[in-house]
Structures are given as C-alpha cells and as structure tokens.
Amino acid sequence: DCSESPDHKTYFVKVHASHECLLKGAEDLLLRMPIEENTLKKSTWHEAFFDCLGTTNPFDPKIPEELQTPNYFTAPFRYECRENFIGWEKESFFSTAQRAAITWHVMQNARFGEAGDEIGLHRLLPSSSFGQAYPLHEGTHNVSKGEDIKTERQFLYKQWASWSKWYKNQPLDNIRHYYGEKVGIYFTWLGFYTSWLLPASIVGLIVFGYGLSTLTFRNNSVAEDICRSQNRTDYYMCPLCDDRCDFWW
C-alpha cells in the first residue's frame, strides 16, 4: 500500500508479508514454534494459596479467552516439516512481534541494486531514500463504551498501561506476544525488581516516621548543648527567635 502526504513531498509505504513468506522467514530465523500443548501443571505459591481459599487471584488481570496464550512445547521451525507444527496454516500462527521480526529480516536481506553491497533497507535509510522504517500497531487502542476488547493492543492499553491497574500482575505472556521476547524479559525483570523493593520501602518508611517523631529540640541532646551554650552565635543553624522558631539540624 502506498499513500502520499498532503504536501506531496513524502510517500508512506506499507509493506505486507504473505503467510508463505512468513513461514520461510521463520525457518531462516530459527523461530521456535509450537509442536505440542504443554499439559504439565505448574503453580506458584500465591496461586496455591487462592486455590485453597476457593477463589481466583484478585491481582491477576482478566484476559479475554481469545487473547489467552496457551503453553506449548516448541521446536525450531522448518518449512518442510510445517505439518508437525500446531496451527501452521492459520494467520494467527505468528504473533505480532514475530511477524514484525520476520518482515524486517526480509527487508534487511532484499536486494535493491546490482552491486554486491546494495542489499538491505539499512543501506537505503542513510541515503534518505527512506526516512524511517518501523512496524505499525494493529488497529486503535481505544475501546468504545459497551464494546468488548477485540485486539491485544486494546487489552494491554486497558489492563496494563493504566494507572488504575497498578496493583494488578503484569500480563507477561501478552506483552511477550505483542512486543517480543526482549520487551517481555525487560518488564518481567522490572516487576521482579519492584516487588522485592517493597519490603525495603516499608522498613524505610518506618525509619523515616521514627525520625520525624523524634525530631524535636528537647529530645536531641546534641542540638540542645550547642544552641543553648554561650557559643550558639557561631552556629547558623540555631534560630534567632527562641520562642516562635524551632531548632533544626
């Protein structure tokens, strides 16, 4: 698809990759694709805790059934053995991140001239033949009132990138499915790091509160000795008005 800007100076080109092209590109990148559903059940301690209570985890986001990502055993994709992979013939076989990665790989290895080094989009960008190259989001992130969430982008916008959902667990499988493994690992580490900072922050608040409660002139012997001595004029931290001003240190 190609469209022109209002000033007729820039053209926008949308590059699409066919399903057959994606399958062959997945083999080049050795993407691991599903071959069998993983039936091994693994639960965390908090999942076991809420199971004992007979309720669901209130901190888990509500993921629509069509956007849930099953757990599979995977293997490097091979085009000649594509029948062994689950759902290889469907358009949903590849995630959003995988389609973007494969398309970028194809564009990086496409030849645009006869010279030996005239290969890849990365050589066209410095010459200003292309201004920018980037993957696009799928559809809008807004959801009208009364409508259900239809895309993964809408789900992440409503259930993840929202201040009102700060207490919810991150939908890491959906983040990985939409943005890729690198972004998924980053937010996994960020969530783990933040959760382990919580005990330290509680201790810090207790210490800070104790410091505020004891921050008075009468309970601080060092400030009392300095500011009530004959040398108090040498210390600028002592207040000049004893009756209305408090001491600080």
Side-chain angles (χ1 to χ4, degrees), residues 72-100:
Y72 291 106
F73 293 110
T74 61
F77 184 79
R78 295 183 60 185
Y79 183 79
E80 61 270 15
C81 302
R82 56 188 180 277
E83 292 83 4
N84 298 328
F85 293 86
I86 299 176
W88 69 271
E89 73 283 356
K90 299 179 181 179
E91 293 293 335
S92 59
F93 181 59
F94 297 103
S95 67
T96 303
Q98 289 172 335
R99 289 198 302 270

PDB file of all heavy atoms in Angstrom, residues 72-100:
ATOM      1  N   TYR A  72       2.912 -24.138  25.186  1.00  0.00           N
ATOM      2  CA  TYR A  72       3.254 -25.206  24.248  1.00  0.00           C
ATOM      3  C   TYR A  72       4.709 -25.617  24.425  1.00  0.00           C
ATOM      4  O   TYR A  72       5.554 -24.833  24.867  1.00  0.00           O
ATOM      5  CB  TYR A  72       3.060 -24.739  22.799  1.00  0.00           C
ATOM      6  CG  TYR A  72       1.628 -24.526  22.381  1.00  0.00           C
ATOM      7  CD1 TYR A  72       1.133 -23.229  22.223  1.00  0.00           C
ATOM      8  CD2 TYR A  72       0.764 -25.585  22.140  1.00  0.00           C
ATOM      9  CE1 TYR A  72      -0.178 -23.010  21.826  1.00  0.00           C
ATOM     10  CE2 TYR A  72      -0.546 -25.377  21.751  1.00  0.00           C
ATOM     11  CZ  TYR A  72      -1.012 -24.090  21.593  1.00  0.00           C
ATOM     12  OH  TYR A  72      -2.311 -23.871  21.208  1.00  0.00           O
ATOM     13  N   PHE A  73       4.970 -26.879  24.033  1.00  0.00           N
ATOM     14  CA  PHE A  73       6.335 -27.286  23.756  1.00  0.00           C
ATOM     15  C   PHE A  73       6.684 -26.787  22.363  1.00  0.00           C
ATOM     16  O   PHE A  73       5.860 -26.854  21.446  1.00  0.00           O
ATOM     17  CB  PHE A  73       6.483 -28.810  23.830  1.00  0.00           C
ATOM     18  CG  PHE A  73       6.288 -29.373  25.206  1.00  0.00           C
ATOM     19  CD1 PHE A  73       5.163 -30.127  25.512  1.00  0.00           C
ATOM     20  CD2 PHE A  73       7.225 -29.154  26.197  1.00  0.00           C
ATOM     21  CE1 PHE A  73       4.986 -30.656  26.776  1.00  0.00           C
ATOM     22  CE2 PHE A  73       7.046 -29.661  27.471  1.00  0.00           C
ATOM     23  CZ  PHE A  73       5.928 -30.420  27.763  1.00  0.00           C
ATOM     24  N   THR A  74       7.895 -26.278  22.192  1.00  0.00           N
ATOM     25  CA  THR A  74       8.264 -25.652  20.924  1.00  0.00           C
ATOM     26  C   THR A  74       9.511 -26.315  20.343  1.00  0.00           C
ATOM     27  O   THR A  74      10.244 -27.033  21.035  1.00  0.00           O
ATOM     28  CB  THR A  74       8.534 -24.151  21.119  1.00  0.00           C
ATOM     29  OG1 THR A  74       9.619 -23.984  22.040  1.00  0.00           O
ATOM     30  CG2 THR A  74       7.296 -23.445  21.661  1.00  0.00           C
ATOM     31  N   ALA A  75       9.732 -26.030  19.070  1.00  0.00           N
ATOM     32  CA  ALA A  75      10.904 -26.522  18.354  1.00  0.00           C
ATOM     33  C   ALA A  75      11.219 -25.542  17.239  1.00  0.00           C
ATOM     34  O   ALA A  75      10.332 -24.816  16.773  1.00  0.00           O
ATOM     35  CB  ALA A  75      10.658 -27.916  17.788  1.00  0.00           C
ATOM     36  N   PRO A  76      12.485 -25.456  16.802  1.00  0.00           N
ATOM     37  CA  PRO A  76      12.825 -24.573  15.675  1.00  0.00           C
ATOM     38  C   PRO A  76      12.009 -24.928  14.429  1.00  0.00           C
ATOM     39  O   PRO A  76      11.898 -26.095  14.055  1.00  0.00           O
ATOM     40  CB  PRO A  76      14.320 -24.826  15.464  1.00  0.00           C
ATOM     41  CG  PRO A  76      14.804 -25.324  16.790  1.00  0.00           C
ATOM     42  CD  PRO A  76      13.672 -26.111  17.368  1.00  0.00           C
ATOM     43  N   PHE A  77      11.431 -23.902  13.826  1.00  0.00           N
ATOM     44  CA  PHE A  77      10.532 -24.130  12.695  1.00  0.00           C
ATOM     45  C   PHE A  77      11.311 -24.543  11.449  1.00  0.00           C
ATOM     46  O   PHE A  77      12.367 -23.985  11.135  1.00  0.00           O
ATOM     47  CB  PHE A  77       9.731 -22.862  12.405  1.00  0.00           C
ATOM     48  CG  PHE A  77       8.717 -23.041  11.318  1.00  0.00           C
ATOM     49  CD1 PHE A  77       7.511 -23.659  11.568  1.00  0.00           C
ATOM     50  CD2 PHE A  77       8.972 -22.594  10.028  1.00  0.00           C
ATOM     51  CE1 PHE A  77       6.569 -23.834  10.568  1.00  0.00           C
ATOM     52  CE2 PHE A  77       8.041 -22.757   9.026  1.00  0.00           C
ATOM     53  CZ  PHE A  77       6.840 -23.374   9.291  1.00  0.00           C
ATOM     54  N   ARG A  78      10.765 -25.545  10.754  1.00  0.00           N
ATOM     55  CA  ARG A  78      11.313 -25.989   9.465  1.00  0.00           C
ATOM     56  C   ARG A  78      10.171 -26.047   8.469  1.00  0.00           C
ATOM     57  O   ARG A  78       9.120 -26.633   8.738  1.00  0.00           O
ATOM     58  CB  ARG A  78      11.981 -27.350   9.589  1.00  0.00           C
ATOM     59  CG  ARG A  78      13.212 -27.367  10.489  1.00  0.00           C
ATOM     60  CD  ARG A  78      13.873 -28.721  10.503  1.00  0.00           C
ATOM     61  NE  ARG A  78      14.309 -29.115   9.163  1.00  0.00           N
ATOM     62  CZ  ARG A  78      14.842 -30.307   8.872  1.00  0.00           C
ATOM     63  NH1 ARG A  78      14.970 -31.218   9.836  1.00  0.00           N
ATOM     64  NH2 ARG A  78      15.210 -30.593   7.643  1.00  0.00           N
ATOM     65  N   TYR A  79      10.385 -25.442   7.323  1.00  0.00           N
ATOM     66  CA  TYR A  79       9.308 -25.309   6.348  1.00  0.00           C
ATOM     67  C   TYR A  79       8.846 -26.662   5.819  1.00  0.00           C
ATOM     68  O   TYR A  79       7.640 -26.891   5.647  1.00  0.00           O
ATOM     69  CB  TYR A  79       9.767 -24.420   5.197  1.00  0.00           C
ATOM     70  CG  TYR A  79       8.699 -24.152   4.171  1.00  0.00           C
ATOM     71  CD1 TYR A  79       7.707 -23.209   4.416  1.00  0.00           C
ATOM     72  CD2 TYR A  79       8.675 -24.846   2.960  1.00  0.00           C
ATOM     73  CE1 TYR A  79       6.713 -22.962   3.488  1.00  0.00           C
ATOM     74  CE2 TYR A  79       7.689 -24.609   2.022  1.00  0.00           C
ATOM     75  CZ  TYR A  79       6.713 -23.668   2.284  1.00  0.00           C
ATOM     76  OH  TYR A  79       5.730 -23.437   1.353  1.00  0.00           O
ATOM     77  N   GLU A  80       9.790 -27.564   5.565  1.00  0.00           N
ATOM     78  CA  GLU A  80       9.397 -28.864   5.006  1.00  0.00           C
ATOM     79  C   GLU A  80       8.677 -29.734   6.032  1.00  0.00           C
ATOM     80  O   GLU A  80       8.005 -30.699   5.664  1.00  0.00           O
ATOM     81  CB  GLU A  80      10.626 -29.605   4.464  1.00  0.00           C
ATOM     82  CG  GLU A  80      11.692 -29.920   5.500  1.00  0.00           C
ATOM     83  CD  GLU A  80      12.701 -28.807   5.625  1.00  0.00           C
ATOM     84  OE1 GLU A  80      12.431 -27.688   5.132  1.00  0.00           O
ATOM     85  OE2 GLU A  80      13.775 -29.053   6.206  1.00  0.00           O
ATOM     86  N   CYS A  81       8.796 -29.394   7.301  1.00  0.00           N
ATOM     87  CA  CYS A  81       8.110 -30.152   8.352  1.00  0.00           C
ATOM     88  C   CYS A  81       6.988 -29.322   8.981  1.00  0.00           C
ATOM     89  O   CYS A  81       6.632 -29.524  10.145  1.00  0.00           O
ATOM     90  CB  CYS A  81       9.100 -30.580   9.432  1.00  0.00           C
ATOM     91  SG  CYS A  81      10.471 -31.588   8.859  1.00  0.00           S
ATOM     92  N   ARG A  82       6.424 -28.396   8.226  1.00  0.00           N
ATOM     93  CA  ARG A  82       5.452 -27.463   8.787  1.00  0.00           C
ATOM     94  C   ARG A  82       4.186 -28.155   9.266  1.00  0.00           C
ATOM     95  O   ARG A  82       3.486 -27.637  10.136  1.00  0.00           O
ATOM     96  CB  ARG A  82       5.095 -26.402   7.742  1.00  0.00           C
ATOM     97  CG  ARG A  82       4.575 -26.924   6.427  1.00  0.00           C
ATOM     98  CD  ARG A  82       4.452 -25.802   5.405  1.00  0.00           C
ATOM     99  NE  ARG A  82       3.952 -26.254   4.103  1.00  0.00           N
ATOM    100  CZ  ARG A  82       4.708 -26.794   3.164  1.00  0.00           C
ATOM    101  NH1 ARG A  82       6.012 -26.949   3.385  1.00  0.00           N
ATOM    102  NH2 ARG A  82       4.186 -27.194   2.004  1.00  0.00           N
ATOM    103  N   GLU A  83       3.865 -29.347   8.715  1.00  0.00           N
ATOM    104  CA  GLU A  83       2.662 -30.046   9.154  1.00  0.00           C
ATOM    105  C   GLU A  83       2.749 -30.523  10.593  1.00  0.00           C
ATOM    106  O   GLU A  83       1.724 -30.824  11.214  1.00  0.00           O
ATOM    107  CB  GLU A  83       2.392 -31.257   8.245  1.00  0.00           C
ATOM    108  CG  GLU A  83       1.997 -30.909   6.817  1.00  0.00           C
ATOM    109  CD  GLU A  83       3.222 -30.632   5.947  1.00  0.00           C
ATOM    110  OE1 GLU A  83       4.355 -30.786   6.467  1.00  0.00           O
ATOM    111  OE2 GLU A  83       3.053 -30.271   4.764  1.00  0.00           O
ATOM    112  N   ASN A  84       3.960 -30.583  11.123  1.00  0.00           N
ATOM    113  CA  ASN A  84       4.132 -31.040  12.513  1.00  0.00           C
ATOM    114  C   ASN A  84       3.891 -29.931  13.528  1.00  0.00           C
ATOM    115  O   ASN A  84       3.879 -30.208  14.739  1.00  0.00           O
ATOM    116  CB  ASN A  84       5.543 -31.605  12.710  1.00  0.00           C
ATOM    117  CG  ASN A  84       5.815 -32.814  11.844  1.00  0.00           C
ATOM    118  OD1 ASN A  84       4.912 -33.596  11.541  1.00  0.00           O
ATOM    119  ND2 ASN A  84       7.064 -32.994  11.431  1.00  0.00           N
ATOM    120  N   PHE A  85       3.708 -28.698  13.079  1.00  0.00           N
ATOM    121  CA  PHE A  85       3.525 -27.575  13.980  1.00  0.00           C
ATOM    122  C   PHE A  85       2.040 -27.225  14.083  1.00  0.00           C
ATOM    123  O   PHE A  85       1.311 -27.223  13.071  1.00  0.00           O
ATOM    124  CB  PHE A  85       4.330 -26.363  13.498  1.00  0.00           C
ATOM    125  CG  PHE A  85       5.811 -26.565  13.573  1.00  0.00           C
ATOM    126  CD1 PHE A  85       6.506 -27.176  12.536  1.00  0.00           C
ATOM    127  CD2 PHE A  85       6.514 -26.158  14.692  1.00  0.00           C
ATOM    128  CE1 PHE A  85       7.871 -27.371  12.602  1.00  0.00           C
ATOM    129  CE2 PHE A  85       7.882 -26.343  14.772  1.00  0.00           C
ATOM    130  CZ  PHE A  85       8.567 -26.951  13.724  1.00  0.00           C
ATOM    131  N   ILE A  86       1.618 -26.918  15.288  1.00  0.00           N
ATOM    132  CA  ILE A  86       0.201 -26.662  15.557  1.00  0.00           C
ATOM    133  C   ILE A  86      -0.221 -25.332  14.942  1.00  0.00           C
ATOM    134  O   ILE A  86       0.377 -24.292  15.223  1.00  0.00           O
ATOM    135  CB  ILE A  86      -0.051 -26.650  17.081  1.00  0.00           C
ATOM    136  CG1 ILE A  86       0.308 -27.999  17.690  1.00  0.00           C
ATOM    137  CG2 ILE A  86      -1.505 -26.298  17.384  1.00  0.00           C
ATOM    138  CD1 ILE A  86       0.172 -28.040  19.197  1.00  0.00           C
ATOM    139  N   GLY A  87      -1.254 -25.379  14.106  1.00  0.00           N
ATOM    140  CA  GLY A  87      -1.840 -24.167  13.537  1.00  0.00           C
ATOM    141  C   GLY A  87      -0.977 -23.464  12.515  1.00  0.00           C
ATOM    142  O   GLY A  87      -1.137 -22.261  12.297  1.00  0.00           O
ATOM    143  N   TRP A  88      -0.092 -24.189  11.837  1.00  0.00           N
ATOM    144  CA  TRP A  88       0.826 -23.537  10.900  1.00  0.00           C
ATOM    145  C   TRP A  88       0.090 -22.891   9.728  1.00  0.00           C
ATOM    146  O   TRP A  88       0.576 -21.933   9.126  1.00  0.00           O
ATOM    147  CB  TRP A  88       1.835 -24.559  10.362  1.00  0.00           C
ATOM    148  CG  TRP A  88       1.210 -25.593   9.450  1.00  0.00           C
ATOM    149  CD1 TRP A  88       0.656 -26.791   9.809  1.00  0.00           C
ATOM    150  CD2 TRP A  88       1.062 -25.497   8.043  1.00  0.00           C
ATOM    151  NE1 TRP A  88       0.157 -27.448   8.719  1.00  0.00           N
ATOM    152  CE2 TRP A  88       0.406 -26.676   7.604  1.00  0.00           C
ATOM    153  CE3 TRP A  88       1.417 -24.535   7.090  1.00  0.00           C
ATOM    154  CZ2 TRP A  88       0.095 -26.910   6.274  1.00  0.00           C
ATOM    155  CZ3 TRP A  88       1.103 -24.778   5.765  1.00  0.00           C
ATOM    156  CH2 TRP A  88       0.457 -25.947   5.362  1.00  0.00           C
ATOM    157  N   GLU A  89      -1.084 -23.399   9.376  1.00  0.00           N
ATOM    158  CA  GLU A  89      -1.820 -22.885   8.221  1.00  0.00           C
ATOM    159  C   GLU A  89      -2.660 -21.655   8.559  1.00  0.00           C
ATOM    160  O   GLU A  89      -3.213 -21.015   7.650  1.00  0.00           O
ATOM    161  CB  GLU A  89      -2.733 -23.982   7.663  1.00  0.00           C
ATOM    162  CG  GLU A  89      -3.962 -24.312   8.514  1.00  0.00           C
ATOM    163  CD  GLU A  89      -3.639 -25.174   9.742  1.00  0.00           C
ATOM    164  OE1 GLU A  89      -2.460 -25.567   9.882  1.00  0.00           O
ATOM    165  OE2 GLU A  89      -4.558 -25.438  10.538  1.00  0.00           O
ATOM    166  N   LYS A  90      -2.749 -21.266   9.820  1.00  0.00           N
ATOM    167  CA  LYS A  90      -3.583 -20.138  10.225  1.00  0.00           C
ATOM    168  C   LYS A  90      -2.776 -18.841  10.224  1.00  0.00           C
ATOM    169  O   LYS A  90      -1.575 -18.841  10.434  1.00  0.00           O
ATOM    170  CB  LYS A  90      -4.160 -20.385  11.625  1.00  0.00           C
ATOM    171  CG  LYS A  90      -5.050 -21.614  11.727  1.00  0.00           C
ATOM    172  CD  LYS A  90      -5.555 -21.792  13.146  1.00  0.00           C
ATOM    173  CE  LYS A  90      -6.433 -23.028  13.263  1.00  0.00           C
ATOM    174  NZ  LYS A  90      -6.916 -23.232  14.668  1.00  0.00           N
ATOM    175  N   GLU A  91      -3.477 -17.738   9.982  1.00  0.00           N
ATOM    176  CA  GLU A  91      -2.826 -16.431  10.018  1.00  0.00           C
ATOM    177  C   GLU A  91      -2.362 -16.071  11.424  1.00  0.00           C
ATOM    178  O   GLU A  91      -1.424 -15.293  11.593  1.00  0.00           O
ATOM    179  CB  GLU A  91      -3.794 -15.359   9.504  1.00  0.00           C
ATOM    180  CG  GLU A  91      -4.137 -15.473   8.023  1.00  0.00           C
ATOM    181  CD  GLU A  91      -2.940 -15.180   7.128  1.00  0.00           C
ATOM    182  OE1 GLU A  91      -2.035 -14.446   7.593  1.00  0.00           O
ATOM    183  OE2 GLU A  91      -2.908 -15.680   5.999  1.00  0.00           O
ATOM    184  N   SER A  92      -3.010 -16.645  12.438  1.00  0.00           N
ATOM    185  CA  SER A  92      -2.647 -16.371  13.829  1.00  0.00           C
ATOM    186  C   SER A  92      -1.483 -17.236  14.309  1.00  0.00           C
ATOM    187  O   SER A  92      -1.160 -17.227  15.504  1.00  0.00           O
ATOM    188  CB  SER A  92      -3.862 -16.596  14.742  1.00  0.00           C
ATOM    189  OG  SER A  92      -4.333 -17.942  14.629  1.00  0.00           O
ATOM    190  N   PHE A  93      -0.866 -17.981  13.396  1.00  0.00           N
ATOM    191  CA  PHE A  93       0.253 -18.842  13.779  1.00  0.00           C
ATOM    192  C   PHE A  93       1.410 -18.019  14.333  1.00  0.00           C
ATOM    193  O   PHE A  93       2.087 -18.421  15.282  1.00  0.00           O
ATOM    194  CB  PHE A  93       0.699 -19.658  12.562  1.00  0.00           C
ATOM    195  CG  PHE A  93       1.835 -20.605  12.829  1.00  0.00           C
ATOM    196  CD1 PHE A  93       1.712 -21.606  13.780  1.00  0.00           C
ATOM    197  CD2 PHE A  93       3.020 -20.497  12.129  1.00  0.00           C
ATOM    198  CE1 PHE A  93       2.760 -22.482  14.031  1.00  0.00           C
ATOM    199  CE2 PHE A  93       4.074 -21.363  12.369  1.00  0.00           C
ATOM    200  CZ  PHE A  93       3.937 -22.363  13.322  1.00  0.00           C
ATOM    201  N   PHE A  94       1.627 -16.846  13.752  1.00  0.00           N
ATOM    202  CA  PHE A  94       2.702 -15.963  14.205  1.00  0.00           C
ATOM    203  C   PHE A  94       2.121 -14.836  15.048  1.00  0.00           C
ATOM    204  O   PHE A  94       1.046 -14.306  14.742  1.00  0.00           O
ATOM    205  CB  PHE A  94       3.460 -15.370  13.011  1.00  0.00           C
ATOM    206  CG  PHE A  94       4.165 -16.393  12.168  1.00  0.00           C
ATOM    207  CD1 PHE A  94       3.636 -16.786  10.946  1.00  0.00           C
ATOM    208  CD2 PHE A  94       5.348 -16.963  12.591  1.00  0.00           C
ATOM    209  CE1 PHE A  94       4.277 -17.727  10.164  1.00  0.00           C
ATOM    210  CE2 PHE A  94       6.005 -17.910  11.825  1.00  0.00           C
ATOM    211  CZ  PHE A  94       5.466 -18.298  10.601  1.00  0.00           C
ATOM    212  N   SER A  95       2.851 -14.487  16.078  1.00  0.00           N
ATOM    213  CA  SER A  95       2.439 -13.364  16.918  1.00  0.00           C
ATOM    214  C   SER A  95       2.757 -12.048  16.209  1.00  0.00           C
ATOM    215  O   SER A  95       3.434 -12.010  15.181  1.00  0.00           O
ATOM    216  CB  SER A  95       3.152 -13.422  18.268  1.00  0.00           C
ATOM    217  OG  SER A  95       4.549 -13.208  18.106  1.00  0.00           O
ATOM    218  N   THR A  96       2.266 -10.960  16.769  1.00  0.00           N
ATOM    219  CA  THR A  96       2.530  -9.637  16.196  1.00  0.00           C
ATOM    220  C   THR A  96       4.025  -9.348  16.153  1.00  0.00           C
ATOM    221  O   THR A  96       4.550  -8.841  15.156  1.00  0.00           O
ATOM    222  CB  THR A  96       1.809  -8.564  17.020  1.00  0.00           C
ATOM    223  OG1 THR A  96       0.405  -8.860  17.064  1.00  0.00           O
ATOM    224  CG2 THR A  96       2.005  -7.182  16.410  1.00  0.00           C
ATOM    225  N   ALA A  97       4.719  -9.678  17.238  1.00  0.00           N
ATOM    226  CA  ALA A  97       6.169  -9.433  17.284  1.00  0.00           C
ATOM    227  C   ALA A  97       6.907 -10.312  16.286  1.00  0.00           C
ATOM    228  O   ALA A  97       7.875  -9.866  15.649  1.00  0.00           O
ATOM    229  CB  ALA A  97       6.689  -9.680  18.698  1.00  0.00           C
ATOM    230  N   GLN A  98       6.478 -11.550  16.121  1.00  0.00           N
ATOM    231  CA  GLN A  98       7.148 -12.446  15.181  1.00  0.00           C
ATOM    232  C   GLN A  98       6.944 -12.002  13.740  1.00  0.00           C
ATOM    233  O   GLN A  98       7.883 -12.048  12.932  1.00  0.00           O
ATOM    234  CB  GLN A  98       6.639 -13.872  15.372  1.00  0.00           C
ATOM    235  CG  GLN A  98       7.115 -14.523  16.658  1.00  0.00           C
ATOM    236  CD  GLN A  98       6.449 -15.866  16.909  1.00  0.00           C
ATOM    237  OE1 GLN A  98       5.344 -16.141  16.428  1.00  0.00           O
ATOM    238  NE2 GLN A  98       7.116 -16.703  17.683  1.00  0.00           N
ATOM    239  N   ARG A  99       5.753 -11.544  13.405  1.00  0.00           N
ATOM    240  CA  ARG A  99       5.515 -11.055  12.037  1.00  0.00           C
ATOM    241  C   ARG A  99       6.376  -9.832  11.743  1.00  0.00           C
ATOM    242  O   ARG A  99       6.943  -9.709  10.648  1.00  0.00           O
ATOM    243  CB  ARG A  99       4.033 -10.719  11.861  1.00  0.00           C
ATOM    244  CG  ARG A  99       3.127 -11.926  11.824  1.00  0.00           C
ATOM    245  CD  ARG A  99       1.773 -11.584  11.209  1.00  0.00           C
ATOM    246  NE  ARG A  99       1.113 -10.513  11.937  1.00  0.00           N
ATOM    247  CZ  ARG A  99       0.286 -10.717  12.960  1.00  0.00           C
ATOM    248  NH1 ARG A  99       0.051 -11.955  13.375  1.00  0.00           N
ATOM    249  NH2 ARG A  99      -0.296  -9.702  13.569  1.00  0.00           N
ATOM    250  N   ALA A 100       6.491  -8.935  12.724  1.00  0.00           N
ATOM    251  CA  ALA A 100       7.328  -7.749  12.527  1.00  0.00           C
ATOM    252  C   ALA A 100       8.792  -8.139  12.377  1.00  0.00           C
ATOM    253  O   ALA A 100       9.510  -7.576  11.529  1.00  0.00           O
ATOM    254  CB  ALA A 100       7.138  -6.786  13.699  1.00  0.00           C
TER     255      ALA A 100
END
